[in-house]
Amino acid sequence: MKSRPRRPSARMFLKSSLLLITSVSSAQNVAPQSTFFSTVAEESHATYQLHGDGDLWPTCWADDDNLYTANGDGVAFTGRPVTVSNRYDMAVSVISGTPPNLSGNTLATNVGKVWIFNNGKTYNRKPTGMLCINGDIYLAYQNLATTFGSAPAASVVVSTDHGRSWSADSDTPMFGTPGNTTSPEASKFTTIFFLDFGKNSTNAIDGYVYAYGLDTNWRNQQALYLARVPRDSVLTRANWQFYSGMGGHSPTWSSDITHKVAVLTDTTLRYPVMFDTSRSDNIRCGPNQPVISQGGIVYDQPLHRYIYTSWSCATHEIYEAPQPWGPWSHAASIDFGPLQGYAGQQNYGQYGPTIPSKFISSDGKSMYLQANVCCGVGSNTTGPEYTFSLRKLYLQPFVFQSPGNEPSTANLALAGSARAISKSTHFGSLCALNCADQLSYGTTSNSEDDWDAESKTSDWWGYTWSQPYHLNQVVYETGNMFSDGGWYAGHLRVQVRQNFVWLDVTSNAVTPTYPYSNQAGGHTIYTFNLPNTWGDGVRIIGTPGGTSHFTSISHLSVYYRATNLVGDPGSELKTRSTNTSLWSTEGPDGHGVDRGLGFAPIRQLKCSQVSGKIM
């Protein structure tokens, strides 16, 4: 693994420069923690890209078994040279096959309309949602300012010949009132994405089409809204109804868009405090990033759950609900950091995440997520994810059960359901290809860290499981140390997750004593011997050190041992030149288990082979 990049030169970014938040609600309304999923894991970058050019790519699965999609700002699959003048602001394509055998063909490049404004701004057409139903294909799109700061109008068009031709739009959009900012409907519901009910909407729950919307802009929002319309009158604006709250256990609807209320409100702001953002670090994202943005909502039919994939500038946000109107809960935040693929970072996610329903597994637990990074990585002008880009997403539902593991030497980090977790990762090694992770499987020479330009007060490294385990020991091997961080500065401890709450484990005894400075050393092993406890998650957590507020790690192991006699499990690994005592205690006669031979390690010795008792 590469060393952490040090102070690279500044670079201009085309699309993902920070949109300053001019007004943020002071009221804290945070989505509750989901208790439906026990683990959520997403590959740290796209592992399959279909050759093409463009971004956004909302999809729907049609009756002919193909995906239909639309992209913004690209040549799509036309084969045209990728230049600024060749790029279409919106194009529609068909994608055939399943990963890794996909092919794309562009069908239309002049769909929809740009309404004329008198405010001097330039606007482009941008796709926001696709719907396949009754053999027809609907495309929701918006007019988005070329500065990406406002979306005042949106509409829907239809194709009845599988994407080759599209209905003409009227002289006025279905949503928004361009040129009339004083209207109560101005910029309302102008980012629209349809609820994906599978192939030709086969899994639809009733005779309505459901669509979610954002006001004002496509990103940096705090509220998500819901509308419905009879499936045979999607283009009739007067037939749209908007969610207006719950009447007992049932949703209520209003034809008046000004009466709509949010189905999901989340005022969380990612990266609230960042250090020295003025320096030339190629930081793509700034502080105070809202978490509600243009993404997609899909019905995971095998799990009977609705999944909303959203994003902040530096994270992907996963929400889930039992019904289209909620209640919505927050399942995970996948933190890629503010670098987003630049300056040598291999970890990036970024905008417009959607889950094509065609690629959801039969058990509903694995799927592909599509997301884009614009526009360059390193010296590239396009970048590997500025196309139809897929990565695997793994969801494991929670099933209540009691821990049943017996004491053993088995490393619980290698349990089949284990998923590595952290606040963020610099290199994305906790969920690489097929979610292989550095913490449990990587070589001792590798190092991961969570340098992410945030002035963090705590960070963590650990695992979650789909079932609870007994445990009583955690072994932490540090990664590389740097002049500005890599170590914990204080309050290092072990926590377990019980009933979705992280709890401190009392009587944390760490060997050797952790120094809370850079003297912690690179690739040094620290063992936490704990009282017997249990959880479906475990992590080390503390205050990160250094002026850059980050820690590093090479390995993390978890055990449930018969007795905590092992003082330094790493002595067997021989990752450093000095010898340490393997055993943490002696027997009552002062000779331990080595019969007077000191503390020499015993290799591959079973308990049945040792005469006498180990106390």
Side-chain angles (χ1 to χ4, degrees), residues 269-274 286-289 423 454-455:
L269 298 176
R270 301 295 179 205
Y271 286 80
V273 182
M274 299 177 70
N288 293 321
Q289 304 165 23
K423 187 273 174 188
E454 183 174 1
S455 300

Side-chain angles (χ1 to χ4, degrees), residues 21 23-26 28 30 220-222 266-273 286-291 312 315 317 454:
I21 308 303
S23 62
V24 175
S25 172
S26 59
Q28 292 300 304
V30 177
N220 293 334
Q221 302 300 301
Q222 297 181 333
D266 196 336
T267 59
T268 299
L269 298 176
R270 301 295 179 205
Y271 286 80
V273 182
N288 293 321
Q289 304 165 23
V291 293
S312 75
T315 65
E317 306 290 338
E454 183 174 1

Side-chain angles (χ1 to χ4, degrees), residues 26-44:
S26 59
Q28 292 300 304
N29 192 339
V30 177
Q33 171 63 47
S34 168
T35 58
F36 185 82
F37 292 113
S38 59
T39 67
V40 177
E42 177 188 325
E43 289 179 322
S44 59

Side-chain angles (χ1 to χ4, degrees), residues 243-325:
Y243 174 81
S244 56
M246 296 296 291
H249 297 291
S250 300
T252 61
W253 305 90
S254 173
S255 296
D256 188 341
I257 195 172
T258 65
H259 291 173
K260 67 180 172 56
V261 301
V263 290
L264 170 62
T265 302
D266 196 336
T267 59
T268 299
L269 298 176
R270 301 295 179 205
Y271 286 80
V273 182
M274 299 177 70
F275 58 83
D276 195 12
T277 55
S278 62
R279 66 191 185 186
S280 56
D281 272 309
N282 281 339
I283 294 175
R284 295 173 63 92
C285 306
N288 293 321
Q289 304 165 23
V291 293
I292 302 296
S293 297
Q294 177 184 334
I297 296 183
V298 64
Y299 179 52
D300 189 335
Q301 195 275 334
L303 299 182
H304 304 291
R305 220 66 182 176
Y306 297 85
I307 312 297
Y308 171 35
T309 46
S310 183
W311 59 286
S312 75
C313 187
T315 65
H316 283 167
E317 306 290 338
I318 312 296
Y319 298 85
E320 57 84 14
Q323 299 289 346
W325 42 87

